[in-house]
Amino acid sequence: MKEFMNMCESCNPGEVEFLQAVGEVAESVRPVLEKRPEYRKTKILERMVEPERLVMFRVPWVDDKGEVQVNRGYRIQMNSAIGPYKGGFRFHPSVNLSILKFLGFEQVFKNALTTLPMGGAKGGSNFDPKGKSDNEVMRFCHSFMNEVFRHIGADTDVPAGDIGVGGREIGFLFGAYKKLRNEFVGVLTGKGLTWGGSLIRPEATGYGCVYFASEMLATKGDSMEGKVCLVSGAGNVAQYTVEKAIQMGGKVVTLSDSAGYIYDESGITKEKLDYIMYLKNVERGRIKEYADKYPGAVYTPVDPSLDYNPLWNHNADCAFPSATQNEINRKDAQNLVGNGVKVVAEGANMPTTPDGVDIFLDAKILYGPGKAANAGGVSVSGLEMTQNSMRLSWTREEVDAYLLRIMKSIHSACVSAADEYGQPGNYVMGANIAGFTKVAEAMLAQGII
Ligand code: NDP
């Protein structure tokens, strides 16, 4: 394993996030590789860490002042052993090769867990939609699609949204694809309801994450009823995590953005959540404004001198990190455990650092890693692809019932794999082993390609 990680480091120098994601999976699947020499002989893991294809391109566009701007675009097609590539686009200034490769790698195992036939991919740009006009975002999206359209397709690669890519961006991207290809197909998911989108897709990641938390609690004879919850972020995943947590009887007391967080001891009600959705999705405002509107809430700006995030230092039963990678460090994990957290369900991808994960595993709390807990989003994207192929639309209730069934199935796949390898209750090993084995079997059957 040491030799394998040395090889990864020398082939991917400085790609910290990618190496972090690979290291975690490699450690988890070690017992599988020991048991299955054919996986070692055919270099399954070595092949999995190498993207099948990686496209990097220039994205030029003109801003509202008439000035030319240049961003960098990416599409990373990681693995297509079990289905067409599938994974979101992220538009955020922090985007780089390492971050997208980690996200694409995670996506391979997550998609395998969903029970649906989807390979793994990720893409995006260092473009920041924040502070841009709708016209600027449109021009950027059209320029981005001008290149990426030749690499994707309904049976090849079906992108979706991620940080900075919501309904508005998917609309502009889809319009450009349709014009360039002269065909109306389900090439992107997260589309609007009148043009091929699925009900419950916007809700799916957040709802699915709370369903997963509820399944974990059920293993201890417990439920979401009365649970105090910490949620980070205030975007798509965070908003619908709050909605489902409230519906299932929980009380959510925090939300955040990259500038700070709010703590509302009395709990975020459905009415307050409606305001947040308007603030973030229509006005594109900041979470600070919540504390101006509801004076009982306290706003705390980010303090870069702290080595922990105070959001994670409140008494709570459940934590739903739903902003970004590595947002819970060792100290945050210690604070959460010290304050009595019972469940951590990751809405974001890889939000906990490896030493933070160790704290959760050592404390034996219910810890659901992102690739299992947030798989509801890509699952309903898969269902959107199914509806597009059938040229049919399912009802809200039908899609939600599928989502719940899939989250239950992911949960039981994790539990069974962890049990089989002598690590009961370890959802990290369970998720990694169950996802890995499915993809490995397909790769084995398809030969050395
Ligand atoms: P959004 O863009 O809708 O929201 C992201 C939120 O996180 C915003 O509140 C943003 O604040 C905050 N945030 C982003 N980057 C940082 C940062 N570096 N530090 C602090 N806060 C930050 O994205 P989503 O809700 O779609 O995605 C959130 C997470 O969930 C990501 O990790 C994503 O990969 C993951 N995910 C999303 C899925 C989906 O279906 N959308 C599916 C599975 C996982 P600000 O506005 O200040 O930037």
Side-chain angles (χ1 to χ4, degrees), residues 283-357:
E283 298 231 302
R284 299 190 187 272
R286 309 301 296 158
I287 201 66
K288 179 180 188 303
E289 295 164 54
Y290 179 95
D292 301 334
K293 184 158 172 78
Y294 300 107
V298 179
Y299 175 73
T300 307
V302 168
D303 178 352
S305 70
L306 293 179
D307 63 352
Y308 68 98
N309 180 349
L311 186 156
W312 304 121
N313 198 16
H314 293 278
N315 287 330
D317 305 296
C318 308
F320 294 94
S322 309
T324 193
Q325 63 274 359
N326 292 331
E327 55 170 310
I328 295 182
N329 64 21
R330 182 184 166 82
K331 192 147 186 199
D332 295 320
Q334 280 168 337
N335 286 340
L336 281 165
V337 170
N339 287 324
V341 84
K342 297 181 177 69
V343 176
V344 177
E346 296 183 337
N349 284 308
M350 205 170 76
T352 310
T353 58
D355 48 2
V357 173

Side-chain angles (χ1 to χ4, degrees), residues 90 92 103 110 122 130 161-165 201 205 233-238 256-259 280 286 322-325 347-349 374 377-378:
R90 176 176 290 192
H92 191 273
L103 288 164
K110 181 191 311 194
K122 202 78 189 186
K130 235 181 284 161
D162 189 75
I163 291 178
V165 180
R201 175 60 189 93
T205 308
N236 171 270
V237 178
S256 69
D257 59 27
S258 51
K280 298 304 286 185
R286 309 301 296 158
S322 309
T324 193
Q325 63 274 359
N349 284 308
N374 71 33
V378 73

Side-chain angles (χ1 to χ4, degrees), residues 106-151:
E106 292 277 294
Q107 196 82 43
V108 173
F109 306 102
K110 181 191 311 194
N111 292 3
L113 288 170
T114 65
T115 71
L116 303 172
M118 298 181 289
K122 202 78 189 186
S125 173
N126 58 354
F127 172 76
D128 188 358
K130 235 181 284 161
K132 305 287 190 304
S133 70
D134 287 351
N135 272 328
E136 288 177 322
V137 172
M138 180 182 72
R139 287 194 291 273
F140 172 82
C141 289
H142 286 175
S143 179
F144 184 88
M145 188 51 83
N146 244 322
E147 171 57 36
V148 91
F149 84 96
R150 67 192 89 242
H151 308 290

